[in-house]
Amino acid sequence: MCKQKKKYTLAYPLSGYLGQKNKRLNLLKKTIRWVLGTVLVVILLVYLFISLPFFQRWMAGEVASYLSDKLHTRVEIGRIQVSLLGRLIIDDINVWDRSNRPLLSATRTGAQLDLMRYFNDGHIIINSAQLYGVKANISQAHPDSALNYQFILD
């Protein structure tokens, strides 16, 4: 007669619960990875889109149109480049005064913006600015009249 060994099994009453918890944790990890991946892809696509010359010229036209309406004078902008780190470069700016004479011309204008401040409280802070190839024609029609750029300050 052969003796059979008894098999002892340990019963873990929480083993089913732990398995469910691991499945939920894995699902949560996958969801977080998917959401972060999607956000990164969207940011990358937006950056690539705003880097296209077509979009830069279109944005320049929109900004020039807005400034023309706001200042009631002619404004031309060649191109606007925006980086995700807050760098703004504007090429070929031309502004005329209300007498339709050239007031300001710049081949390139650059600015570093504080984006964190903008997203926190909506204020645009310029940390640094550069102007290249600037030509300003400041004049006064009569000694008692305002300068030709006063409408911009008002």
Side-chain angles (χ1 to χ4, degrees):
M1 198 160 163
C2 195
K3 280 190 177 183
Q4 287 186 344
K5 290 184 180 180
K6 279 190 172 181
K7 292 184 179 178
Y8 292 101
T9 58
L10 297 174
Y12 294 105
L14 297 176
S15 64
Y17 174 74
L18 291 176
Q20 267 185 331
K21 189 174 180 180
N22 284 339
K23 286 180 184 177
R24 287 182 184 164
L25 190 59
N26 287 339
L27 181 62
L28 180 63
K29 286 179 184 178
K30 286 180 183 178
T31 304
I32 289 172
R33 277 190 228 130
W34 186 82
V35 168
L36 288 176
T38 303
V39 168
L40 288 175
V41 166
V42 167
I43 289 172
L44 180 66
L45 288 175
V46 167
Y47 179 71
L48 290 174
F49 185 71
I50 64 174
S51 297
L52 293 174
F54 162 77
F55 181 77
Q56 293 172 353
R57 286 188 304 271
W58 174 81
M59 189 168 40
E62 292 296 314
V63 170
S65 175
Y66 172 78
L67 289 174
S68 293
D69 291 343
K70 194 79 169 163
L71 298 174
H72 304 292
T73 188
R74 194 167 116 201
V75 177
E76 291 178 356
I77 298 175
R79 183 172 78 163
I80 296 178
Q81 296 173 319
V82 180
S83 77
L84 294 178
L85 300 176
R87 186 86 179 134
L88 177 69
I89 298 173
I90 304 173
D91 291 331
D92 302 325
I93 301 171
N94 294 304
V95 180
W96 284 262
D97 64 10
R98 297 240 169 111
S99 302
N100 208 21
R101 290 180 293 187
L103 173 64
L104 177 73
S105 175
T107 55
R108 177 166 276 201
T109 304
Q112 181 66 42
L113 306 176
D114 187 358
L115 293 179
M116 294 308 291
R117 180 84 183 265
Y118 177 72
F119 289 125
N120 287 337
D121 57 10
H123 291 98
I124 297 175
I125 303 295
I126 299 174
N127 292 331
S128 65
Q130 301 87 28
L131 297 171
Y132 301 99
V134 177
K135 182 179 179 186
N137 299 316
I138 299 173
S139 63
Q140 191 173 22
H142 304 288
D144 58 342
S145 66
L147 293 169
N148 64 341
Y149 65 85
Q150 186 61 41
F151 70 97
I152 295 174
L153 300 177
D154 294 338

